[in-house]
Amino acid sequence: MELIDYPTLKLLWWLLVGVLLVGFAVMDGHDMGVGTLLPFVGRSDIERRVIINTVGPHWDGNQVWFITGGGAIFAAWPLVYATAFSGFYWAMLLVLWALFFRPVGFDYRSKIDNPRWRSTWDWGLFIGGFVPPVVFGIAFGNLLQGVPFRFDANLVPYYEGSFWQLLNPFGLLCGVVSSAMITCHGAVYLAHRTEGVIQARAARWAQACALVVLAAFSVAGLWLARGIDGYVITSAVDAAALPDPLAKTVVVAPGAWLANYARTPAAMLVPAAGYLGFVLALLLVRGGRTFAAFWCSALGMAGVIGAAAVSMFPFVMPSSLAPDASLTVWDSVSSHRTLFIMLVATLVFIPIIILYTRWAYSVMRGKVTAAYVKENSHSAY
């Protein structure tokens, strides 16, 4: 355990949680993007079956990133987990209810050859793909504005907002950014795995969504710079101390979310990666280079998510109600031993997950066609 000191472990887990969130966005995100596009790109039953079969064999494996990310937050940042699930309780339930449509929709959609039955599940898969990214984006937007929570003397969190307060203009704008980038990523993947009219429609959606991401991300950045106050720790911070979120002084200051970029200009590479990734994805998918476009889209998502993280660092969950109670990288974590044991487990299992995922995708690579679905009507989705 002494091999890595406590402050370094805290930083490593900030990075690892970010990696897991980006992994979830890239891997489960393209599944959700395909689900969002299903009722619009697929014009007939056979076209929609082709679309579903591009992600059908993989979507449940990709959920591992979602589960792992949630588990990492629970174990590494227990105060963040407890406070977030108190404050965002109904939002998280909305995500879970939407996700219920995915396993049932994939498994039952094609079991009955009835247009109304299949159309109902198509819209269920749309809900399961569209709602979670929007809610996650709204949650990030509210984190940047500060969440109305406080702690009592026993560090019991109290949330004093409501679900409807989350649906503020900036939060909704961040929901647009999140939904557009996930849909763009799904459209690029769909263009890579299909051909003909489905591929052409998916490519058009990818280009349109990339433009929406670039525009909405720019507006959100300007809004954050000029209209939303950030948080600053003004007291001394002992990075090696045991977690105590009430043992610091925090002030709210205009432009504070941009301070990290002023202190470390190299940090500008993170949002720049967001712009570069989606610009390249747009150009590459237009030129038919869909595989490269997929990874450029992934780079863009990493840049967008990373930009929010860099702006907020070291804050993880700022409090608008009691700024001193804001949760940071230094005071919301588990014990030294817990972080070290989790790090060892992560370094063992994440490479296994990546290698298995790579193998699974290589086995099922290639285009999904209408002929394939018709020839395998009983085994295909």
Side-chain angles (χ1 to χ4, degrees), residues 111-375:
K111 290 192 179 296
I112 298 178
D113 189 5
N114 179 280
R116 181 173 295 181
W117 170 270
R118 294 187 172 183
S119 178
T120 299
W121 288 116
D122 290 341
W123 286 104
L125 290 171
F126 164 79
I127 292 171
F130 177 75
V131 172
V134 171
V135 174
F136 293 145
I138 291 173
F140 265 96
N142 279 272
L143 288 177
L144 287 162
Q145 296 175 91
V147 181
F149 71 90
R150 61 180 177 83
F151 289 106
D152 65 13
N154 296 316
L155 291 184
V156 175
Y158 290 89
Y159 177 75
E160 298 189 10
S162 69
F163 170 79
W164 302 110
Q165 286 178 291
L166 300 176
L167 306 181
N168 55 74
F170 183 76
L172 292 172
L173 176 61
C174 292
V176 171
V177 174
S178 177
S179 178
M181 70 179 189
I182 292 296
T183 306
C184 175
H185 196 53
V188 172
Y189 178 78
L190 194 57
H192 181 63
R193 293 295 311 279
T194 58
E195 58 186 20
V197 293
I198 299 176
Q199 184 184 56
R201 292 174 196 147
R204 288 195 294 270
W205 271 94
Q207 295 170 62
C209 288
L211 291 173
V212 172
V213 174
L214 293 169
F217 185 47
S218 299
V219 173
L222 291 172
W223 195 338
L224 192 67
R226 300 185 178 183
I228 296 178
D229 294 340
Y231 290 69
V232 181
I233 300 175
T234 57
S235 59
V237 175
D238 183 1
L242 293 175
D244 183 2
L246 301 179
K248 65 181 181 300
T249 303
V250 176
V251 298
V252 180
W257 287 147
L258 302 182
N260 286 332
Y261 299 107
R263 281 192 294 267
T264 310
M268 287 298 298
L269 293 173
V270 179
Y275 283 106
L276 179 64
F278 283 108
V279 168
L280 289 177
L282 189 157
L283 297 175
L284 288 167
V285 78
R286 181 180 294 174
R289 300 176 63 183
T290 52
F291 182 75
F294 178 84
W295 290 111
C296 286
S297 174
L299 173 66
M301 289 197 295
V304 171
I305 296 170
V310 170
S311 296
M312 291 177 60
F313 183 85
F315 291 90
V316 178
M317 192 171 182
S319 170
S320 60
L321 189 63
D324 291 350
S326 298
L327 298 174
T328 74
V329 171
W330 313 118
D331 56 28
S332 60
V333 298
S334 293
S335 68
H336 192 173
R337 184 182 298 274
T338 299
L339 294 182
F340 181 76
I341 293 173
M342 286 175 55
L343 177 65
V344 173
T346 301
L347 294 178
V348 171
F349 287 104
I350 290 297
I352 294 174
I353 293 172
I354 293 173
L355 289 172
Y356 172 78
T357 302
R358 184 180 183 280
W359 173 80
Y361 274 84
S362 66
V363 168
M364 299 182 184
R365 65 185 180 275
K367 302 287 187 180
V368 179
T369 64
Y372 167 81
V373 173
K374 290 176 182 178
E375 290 171 6

